Amino acid sequence: MSYLPIQQLLKTAQIGTDVTVKGWVRTKRESKNAVFIALNDGSTINNIQVVAEAGQLPEETLKLITTGACLSVTGQLVASQGAGQAIEVKISAVTIYGPADPDKYPLQPKRHSLEFLREIAHLRPRTNTFSAILRIRHALAFAVHKYFNDNGFFYLNTPIITASDAEGAGEMFRVTTLDATKPPLTEEGNVDYSQDFFGRETNLTVSGQLEGELGALALGKIYTFGPTFRAENSNTTRHLAEFWMIEPEVAFNDLEDNMNLAEDFVKTVIRYALQHCADDLAFLDNRLKEEEKTKKKEEQSELGLLEKLQFVISNEFVRLTYTDAVEILVNSKPAKKGQFQYEVSWGVDLQSEHERYLVEKHFKKPVILTNYPRAIKAFYMKLDEESSTTPGQTVRAMDVLFPGIGEIIGGSQREDDFDKLVARMHEVGIEPEALWWYLDTRRFGSAPHAGFGLGFERLVLFVTGMGNIRDVIPFPRAPKTAEF
Ligand code: 4AD
Ligand code: MG
């Protein structure tokens, strides 16, 4: 007899047919006449109820059917007498693949805290919340590839081990095979990386952008989608040390095209999740509503999860310059009452409290901020010359800010002028010789181009309505966190 995942079974199976279902026991309930077992196999948030008559199963078998045990059940699919499910399986045979000692199995049918579940990240995919998140994460990843494929982009795989610091922020994890206790030294007493595996100092990449640009200036439209590593010691709900980034890069695009692409891209993938993850999103929507009830009235969000997602895909993002944003912030109530922790003035890097004020209080919409001061942005961003108020002081940068998240996308038009790019590298202390291959694109057949990076986990955070980025990646990597 063929075996069907529960997701398919619930959709297609015919009443009266014999079926086999396999999965993990969520709950077992015994009444006078029958035993009811809720099975879940991870293919859907929905369980299948399997039912045995009282006395039908031997006592030893029944004892092993506890929460967490894995079973294969064969039986007839029948209309359910009870409320809560339309169909159920009348058991004719049970195989217990693996029991789960109820005194030791940490997942019991009750609400566990997210903090506790983080400590058992190896088992948390078996919960409703985490299986829903992981299925949505999958759908979003698929939607990302589909979006770019549908729009003529090529998937470019950029290296994970690299000798360059694309963002110039010095937050890299070293990759080495040298003996950590006795590394070879140069005459000056520094570590001699010429004896290392790659014959030079290498690190895990912080971004695939520089190689992405090489691809765009050959293939036209490319995107990367891969793991990214940052050794910044930020213990926040928005930062991971290992996260996945999606970086499209497009020849002949300017800043405006870049914004249009970013907005269309995020809206399209969110729409895909709404269409393909309805059950899981409804479950998380409910979960969030319950959680909101425990908060103070003024801290409760105005929109539910589904309403929020609908709102984002059906409204245009606000677009404004950094300079205009600073003016709004300087004149805002919290600034005047001294309620911001960090002061705002032209030239400072906006803190998340400022970004969230703009998005959640002032505009109540996603915002794309552009034309940031050059001093707070990366070397590769194109200088703004024609900008009237601050000529030469700003770059063609854009950050997309989302409610509850802050920055979800960072990108820019790239400096395509060889001399200006080299001058900027000197300014920020990057050796042009070290990036000779990158500069070759500006030496030979340079072209206007633009791109951005979307933090995949920040997108998943937004779509699932979760509050901590460590809960939207299966096995999070963060300071002092690398257990699983
Ligand atoms: O703004 P970032 O640093 O931009 C870049 O890396 C560019 N090279 C992108 C490009 O233009 N191709 O990072 C891009 C996005 C951020 O907006 C954020 O969503 C995410 O990556 N991000 C992180 N996500 C999780 N944990 C971290 N530590 C992150 N750092 C950045
Ligand atoms: Mg950024």
Side-chain angles (χ1 to χ4, degrees), residues 187-202:
E187 275 171 23
E188 295 84 52
N190 300 319
V191 175
D192 184 5
Y193 288 108
S194 70
Q195 295 187 46
D196 204 347
F197 188 91
F198 295 105
R200 60 197 307 160
E201 192 176 344
T202 51

mmCIF file with all atom_site columns, all heavy atoms in Angstrom, residues 187-202:
data_model
loop_
_atom_site.group_PDB
_atom_site.id
_atom_site.type_symbol
_atom_site.label_atom_id
_atom_site.label_alt_id
_atom_site.label_comp_id
_atom_site.label_asym_id
_atom_site.label_entity_id
_atom_site.label_seq_id
_atom_site.pdbx_PDB_ins_code
_atom_site.Cartn_x
_atom_site.Cartn_y
_atom_site.Cartn_z
_atom_site.occupancy
_atom_site.B_iso_or_equiv
_atom_site.pdbx_formal_charge
_atom_site.auth_seq_id
_atom_site.auth_comp_id
_atom_site.auth_asym_id
_atom_site.auth_atom_id
_atom_site.pdbx_PDB_model_num
ATOM 1   N N   . GLU A 1 187 ? 59.753 37.460 10.062 1.00 0.00 ? 187 GLU A N   1
ATOM 2   C CA  . GLU A 1 187 ? 60.871 38.036 10.823 1.00 0.00 ? 187 GLU A CA  1
ATOM 3   C C   . GLU A 1 187 ? 60.403 39.147 11.749 1.00 0.00 ? 187 GLU A C   1
ATOM 4   O O   . GLU A 1 187 ? 60.953 39.371 12.830 1.00 0.00 ? 187 GLU A O   1
ATOM 5   C CB  . GLU A 1 187 ? 61.938 38.565 9.857  1.00 0.00 ? 187 GLU A CB  1
ATOM 6   C CG  . GLU A 1 187 ? 62.886 37.452 9.429  1.00 0.00 ? 187 GLU A CG  1
ATOM 7   C CD  . GLU A 1 187 ? 63.813 37.892 8.304  1.00 0.00 ? 187 GLU A CD  1
ATOM 8   O OE1 . GLU A 1 187 ? 64.035 39.107 8.167  1.00 0.00 ? 187 GLU A OE1 1
ATOM 9   O OE2 . GLU A 1 187 ? 64.295 37.002 7.576  1.00 0.00 ? 187 GLU A OE2 1
ATOM 10  N N   . GLU A 1 188 ? 59.315 39.858 11.326 1.00 0.00 ? 188 GLU A N   1
ATOM 11  C CA  . GLU A 1 188 ? 58.801 40.953 12.170 1.00 0.00 ? 188 GLU A CA  1
ATOM 12  C C   . GLU A 1 188 ? 57.953 40.429 13.332 1.00 0.00 ? 188 GLU A C   1
ATOM 13  O O   . GLU A 1 188 ? 57.484 41.205 14.148 1.00 0.00 ? 188 GLU A O   1
ATOM 14  C CB  . GLU A 1 188 ? 57.945 41.929 11.356 1.00 0.00 ? 188 GLU A CB  1
ATOM 15  C CG  . GLU A 1 188 ? 58.685 42.698 10.270 1.00 0.00 ? 188 GLU A CG  1
ATOM 16  C CD  . GLU A 1 188 ? 58.806 41.897 8.976  1.00 0.00 ? 188 GLU A CD  1
ATOM 17  O OE1 . GLU A 1 188 ? 57.757 41.420 8.499  1.00 0.00 ? 188 GLU A OE1 1
ATOM 18  O OE2 . GLU A 1 188 ? 59.927 41.730 8.473  1.00 0.00 ? 188 GLU A OE2 1
ATOM 19  N N   . GLY A 1 189 ? 57.691 39.123 13.344 1.00 0.00 ? 189 GLY A N   1
ATOM 20  C CA  . GLY A 1 189 ? 56.918 38.564 14.459 1.00 0.00 ? 189 GLY A CA  1
ATOM 21  C C   . GLY A 1 189 ? 55.428 38.441 14.194 1.00 0.00 ? 189 GLY A C   1
ATOM 22  O O   . GLY A 1 189 ? 54.655 38.103 15.093 1.00 0.00 ? 189 GLY A O   1
ATOM 23  N N   . ASN A 1 190 ? 55.005 38.744 12.954 1.00 0.00 ? 190 ASN A N   1
ATOM 24  C CA  . ASN A 1 190 ? 53.582 38.557 12.626 1.00 0.00 ? 190 ASN A CA  1
ATOM 25  C C   . ASN A 1 190 ? 53.351 37.127 12.152 1.00 0.00 ? 190 ASN A C   1
ATOM 26  O O   . ASN A 1 190 ? 54.285 36.434 11.754 1.00 0.00 ? 190 ASN A O   1
ATOM 27  C CB  . ASN A 1 190 ? 53.161 39.521 11.516 1.00 0.00 ? 190 ASN A CB  1
ATOM 28  C CG  . ASN A 1 190 ? 53.368 40.968 11.940 1.00 0.00 ? 190 ASN A CG  1
ATOM 29  O OD1 . ASN A 1 190 ? 53.079 41.326 13.089 1.00 0.00 ? 190 ASN A OD1 1
ATOM 30  N ND2 . ASN A 1 190 ? 53.882 41.776 11.030 1.00 0.00 ? 190 ASN A ND2 1
ATOM 31  N N   . VAL A 1 191 ? 52.068 36.698 12.173 1.00 0.00 ? 191 VAL A N   1
ATOM 32  C CA  . VAL A 1 191 ? 51.749 35.367 11.651 1.00 0.00 ? 191 VAL A CA  1
ATOM 33  C C   . VAL A 1 191 ? 52.096 35.337 10.162 1.00 0.00 ? 191 VAL A C   1
ATOM 34  O O   . VAL A 1 191 ? 51.754 36.240 9.407  1.00 0.00 ? 191 VAL A O   1
ATOM 35  C CB  . VAL A 1 191 ? 50.253 35.048 11.865 1.00 0.00 ? 191 VAL A CB  1
ATOM 36  C CG1 . VAL A 1 191 ? 49.896 33.719 11.203 1.00 0.00 ? 191 VAL A CG1 1
ATOM 37  C CG2 . VAL A 1 191 ? 49.919 35.006 13.354 1.00 0.00 ? 191 VAL A CG2 1
ATOM 38  N N   . ASP A 1 192 ? 52.784 34.279 9.755  1.00 0.00 ? 192 ASP A N   1
ATOM 39  C CA  . ASP A 1 192 ? 53.222 34.178 8.358  1.00 0.00 ? 192 ASP A CA  1
ATOM 40  C C   . ASP A 1 192 ? 52.180 33.422 7.534  1.00 0.00 ? 192 ASP A C   1
ATOM 41  O O   . ASP A 1 192 ? 52.240 32.204 7.407  1.00 0.00 ? 192 ASP A O   1
ATOM 42  C CB  . ASP A 1 192 ? 54.569 33.465 8.308  1.00 0.00 ? 192 ASP A CB  1
ATOM 43  C CG  . ASP A 1 192 ? 55.108 33.413 6.883  1.00 0.00 ? 192 ASP A CG  1
ATOM 44  O OD1 . ASP A 1 192 ? 54.472 34.019 5.978  1.00 0.00 ? 192 ASP A OD1 1
ATOM 45  O OD2 . ASP A 1 192 ? 56.157 32.772 6.683  1.00 0.00 ? 192 ASP A OD2 1
ATOM 46  N N   . TYR A 1 193 ? 51.234 34.184 6.980  1.00 0.00 ? 193 TYR A N   1
ATOM 47  C CA  . TYR A 1 193 ? 50.145 33.544 6.232  1.00 0.00 ? 193 TYR A CA  1
ATOM 48  C C   . TYR A 1 193 ? 50.608 32.964 4.897  1.00 0.00 ? 193 TYR A C   1
ATOM 49  O O   . TYR A 1 193 ? 49.876 32.205 4.274  1.00 0.00 ? 193 TYR A O   1
ATOM 50  C CB  . TYR A 1 193 ? 48.981 34.528 6.024  1.00 0.00 ? 193 TYR A CB  1
ATOM 51  C CG  . TYR A 1 193 ? 48.220 34.794 7.300  1.00 0.00 ? 193 TYR A CG  1
ATOM 52  C CD1 . TYR A 1 193 ? 48.328 36.008 7.965  1.00 0.00 ? 193 TYR A CD1 1
ATOM 53  C CD2 . TYR A 1 193 ? 47.410 33.796 7.855  1.00 0.00 ? 193 TYR A CD2 1
ATOM 54  C CE1 . TYR A 1 193 ? 47.645 36.242 9.149  1.00 0.00 ? 193 TYR A CE1 1
ATOM 55  C CE2 . TYR A 1 193 ? 46.735 34.020 9.040  1.00 0.00 ? 193 TYR A CE2 1
ATOM 56  C CZ  . TYR A 1 193 ? 46.851 35.249 9.684  1.00 0.00 ? 193 TYR A CZ  1
ATOM 57  O OH  . TYR A 1 193 ? 46.178 35.455 10.850 1.00 0.00 ? 193 TYR A OH  1
ATOM 58  N N   . SER A 1 194 ? 51.819 33.321 4.471  1.00 0.00 ? 194 SER A N   1
ATOM 59  C CA  . SER A 1 194 ? 52.278 32.731 3.207  1.00 0.00 ? 194 SER A CA  1
ATOM 60  C C   . SER A 1 194 ? 52.431 31.215 3.376  1.00 0.00 ? 194 SER A C   1
ATOM 61  O O   . SER A 1 194 ? 52.436 30.471 2.402  1.00 0.00 ? 194 SER A O   1
ATOM 62  C CB  . SER A 1 194 ? 53.603 33.374 2.768  1.00 0.00 ? 194 SER A CB  1
ATOM 63  O OG  . SER A 1 194 ? 54.647 32.968 3.633  1.00 0.00 ? 194 SER A OG  1
ATOM 64  N N   . GLN A 1 195 ? 52.538 30.757 4.633  1.00 0.00 ? 195 GLN A N   1
ATOM 65  C CA  . GLN A 1 195 ? 52.618 29.315 4.877  1.00 0.00 ? 195 GLN A CA  1
ATOM 66  C C   . GLN A 1 195 ? 51.250 28.683 5.130  1.00 0.00 ? 195 GLN A C   1
ATOM 67  O O   . GLN A 1 195 ? 51.144 27.495 5.403  1.00 0.00 ? 195 GLN A O   1
ATOM 68  C CB  . GLN A 1 195 ? 53.526 29.050 6.088  1.00 0.00 ? 195 GLN A CB  1
ATOM 69  C CG  . GLN A 1 195 ? 54.966 29.453 5.830  1.00 0.00 ? 195 GLN A CG  1
ATOM 70  C CD  . GLN A 1 195 ? 55.861 29.013 6.969  1.00 0.00 ? 195 GLN A CD  1
ATOM 71  O OE1 . GLN A 1 195 ? 55.782 27.886 7.435  1.00 0.00 ? 195 GLN A OE1 1
ATOM 72  N NE2 . GLN A 1 195 ? 56.723 29.915 7.414  1.00 0.00 ? 195 GLN A NE2 1
ATOM 73  N N   . ASP A 1 196 ? 50.197 29.514 5.068  1.00 0.00 ? 196 ASP A N   1
ATOM 74  C CA  . ASP A 1 196 ? 48.847 28.996 5.326  1.00 0.00 ? 196 ASP A CA  1
ATOM 75  C C   . ASP A 1 196 ? 48.306 28.287 4.080  1.00 0.00 ? 196 ASP A C   1
ATOM 76  O O   . ASP A 1 196 ? 48.895 28.371 2.992  1.00 0.00 ? 196 ASP A O   1
ATOM 77  C CB  . ASP A 1 196 ? 47.920 30.151 5.740  1.00 0.00 ? 196 ASP A CB  1
ATOM 78  C CG  . ASP A 1 196 ? 46.734 29.677 6.571  1.00 0.00 ? 196 ASP A CG  1
ATOM 79  O OD1 . ASP A 1 196 ? 46.488 28.455 6.630  1.00 0.00 ? 196 ASP A OD1 1
ATOM 80  O OD2 . ASP A 1 196 ? 46.051 30.546 7.161  1.00 0.00 ? 196 ASP A OD2 1
ATOM 81  N N   . PHE A 1 197 ? 47.178 27.637 4.221  1.00 0.00 ? 197 PHE A N   1
ATOM 82  C CA  . PHE A 1 197 ? 46.616 26.809 3.147  1.00 0.00 ? 197 PHE A CA  1
ATOM 83  C C   . PHE A 1 197 ? 46.545 27.536 1.805  1.00 0.00 ? 197 PHE A C   1
ATOM 84  O O   . PHE A 1 197 ? 46.949 27.012 0.770  1.00 0.00 ? 197 PHE A O   1
ATOM 85  C CB  . PHE A 1 197 ? 45.215 26.321 3.546  1.00 0.00 ? 197 PHE A CB  1
ATOM 86  C CG  . PHE A 1 197 ? 44.637 25.306 2.605  1.00 0.00 ? 197 PHE A CG  1
ATOM 87  C CD1 . PHE A 1 197 ? 44.839 23.949 2.818  1.00 0.00 ? 197 PHE A CD1 1
ATOM 88  C CD2 . PHE A 1 197 ? 43.912 25.707 1.494  1.00 0.00 ? 197 PHE A CD2 1
ATOM 89  C CE1 . PHE A 1 197 ? 44.323 23.010 1.945  1.00 0.00 ? 197 PHE A CE1 1
ATOM 90  C CE2 . PHE A 1 197 ? 43.400 24.771 0.610  1.00 0.00 ? 197 PHE A CE2 1
ATOM 91  C CZ  . PHE A 1 197 ? 43.600 23.414 0.838  1.00 0.00 ? 197 PHE A CZ  1
ATOM 92  N N   . PHE A 1 198 ? 46.008 28.767 1.827  1.00 0.00 ? 198 PHE A N   1
ATOM 93  C CA  . PHE A 1 198 ? 45.845 29.499 0.569  1.00 0.00 ? 198 PHE A CA  1
ATOM 94  C C   . PHE A 1 198 ? 47.036 30.409 0.256  1.00 0.00 ? 198 PHE A C   1
ATOM 95  O O   . PHE A 1 198 ? 47.003 31.172 -0.709 1.00 0.00 ? 198 PHE A O   1
ATOM 96  C CB  . PHE A 1 198 ? 44.556 30.327 0.610  1.00 0.00 ? 198 PHE A CB  1
ATOM 97  C CG  . PHE A 1 198 ? 43.314 29.469 0.690  1.00 0.00 ? 198 PHE A CG  1
ATOM 98  C CD1 . PHE A 1 198 ? 42.609 29.344 1.884  1.00 0.00 ? 198 PHE A CD1 1
ATOM 99  C CD2 . PHE A 1 198 ? 42.862 28.766 -0.418 1.00 0.00 ? 198 PHE A CD2 1
ATOM 100 C CE1 . PHE A 1 198 ? 41.480 28.548 1.964  1.00 0.00 ? 198 PHE A CE1 1
ATOM 101 C CE2 . PHE A 1 198 ? 41.730 27.964 -0.347 1.00 0.00 ? 198 PHE A CE2 1
ATOM 102 C CZ  . PHE A 1 198 ? 41.038 27.853 0.847  1.00 0.00 ? 198 PHE A CZ  1
ATOM 103 N N   . GLY A 1 199 ? 48.054 30.361 1.116  1.00 0.00 ? 199 GLY A N   1
ATOM 104 C CA  . GLY A 1 199 ? 49.231 31.198 0.888  1.00 0.00 ? 199 GLY A CA  1
ATOM 105 C C   . GLY A 1 199 ? 48.976 32.660 1.189  1.00 0.00 ? 199 GLY A C   1
ATOM 106 O O   . GLY A 1 199 ? 49.751 33.541 0.803  1.00 0.00 ? 199 GLY A O   1
ATOM 107 N N   . ARG A 1 200 ? 47.865 32.945 1.856  1.00 0.00 ? 200 ARG A N   1
ATOM 108 C CA  . ARG A 1 200 ? 47.519 34.321 2.224  1.00 0.00 ? 200 ARG A CA  1
ATOM 109 C C   . ARG A 1 200 ? 46.468 34.275 3.315  1.00 0.00 ? 200 ARG A C   1
ATOM 110 O O   . ARG A 1 200 ? 45.908 33.210 3.592  1.00 0.00 ? 200 ARG A O   1
ATOM 111 C CB  . ARG A 1 200 ? 46.965 35.052 1.014  1.00 0.00 ? 200 ARG A CB  1
ATOM 112 C CG  . ARG A 1 200 ? 45.707 34.372 0.470  1.00 0.00 ? 200 ARG A CG  1
ATOM 113 C CD  . ARG A 1 200 ? 45.373 34.811 -0.917 1.00 0.00 ? 200 ARG A CD  1
ATOM 114 N NE  . ARG A 1 200 ? 45.328 36.254 -0.926 1.00 0.00 ? 200 ARG A NE  1
ATOM 115 C CZ  . ARG A 1 200 ? 45.440 36.999 -2.032 1.00 0.00 ? 200 ARG A CZ  1
ATOM 116 N NH1 . ARG A 1 200 ? 45.616 36.417 -3.205 1.00 0.00 ? 200 ARG A NH1 1
ATOM 117 N NH2 . ARG A 1 200 ? 45.391 38.302 -1.977 1.00 0.00 ? 200 ARG A NH2 1
ATOM 118 N N   . GLU A 1 201 ? 46.176 35.415 3.911  1.00 0.00 ? 201 GLU A N   1
ATOM 119 C CA  . GLU A 1 201 ? 45.159 35.449 4.944  1.00 0.00 ? 201 GLU A CA  1
ATOM 120 C C   . GLU A 1 201 ? 43.778 35.343 4.288  1.00 0.00 ? 201 GLU A C   1
ATOM 121 O O   . GLU A 1 201 ? 43.481 36.085 3.358  1.00 0.00 ? 201 GLU A O   1
ATOM 122 C CB  . GLU A 1 201 ? 45.270 36.756 5.734  1.00 0.00 ? 201 GLU A CB  1
ATOM 123 C CG  . GLU A 1 201 ? 44.448 36.733 6.990  1.00 0.00 ? 201 GLU A CG  1
ATOM 124 C CD  . GLU A 1 201 ? 44.631 37.986 7.844  1.00 0.00 ? 201 GLU A CD  1
ATOM 125 O OE1 . GLU A 1 201 ? 45.610 38.735 7.630  1.00 0.00 ? 201 GLU A OE1 1
ATOM 126 O OE2 . GLU A 1 201 ? 43.787 38.205 8.715  1.00 0.00 ? 201 GLU A OE2 1
ATOM 127 N N   . THR A 1 202 ? 42.946 34.428 4.787  1.00 0.00 ? 202 THR A N   1
ATOM 128 C CA  . THR A 1 202 ? 41.597 34.275 4.216  1.00 0.00 ? 202 THR A CA  1
ATOM 129 C C   . THR A 1 202 ? 40.550 34.253 5.319  1.00 0.00 ? 202 THR A C   1
ATOM 130 O O   . THR A 1 202 ? 40.842 33.941 6.478  1.00 0.00 ? 202 THR A O   1
ATOM 131 C CB  . THR A 1 202 ? 41.469 32.974 3.392  1.00 0.00 ? 202 THR A CB  1
ATOM 132 O OG1 . THR A 1 202 ? 41.942 31.894 4.193  1.00 0.00 ? 202 THR A OG1 1
ATOM 133 C CG2 . THR A 1 202 ? 42.245 33.047 2.100  1.00 0.00 ? 202 THR A CG2 1
#
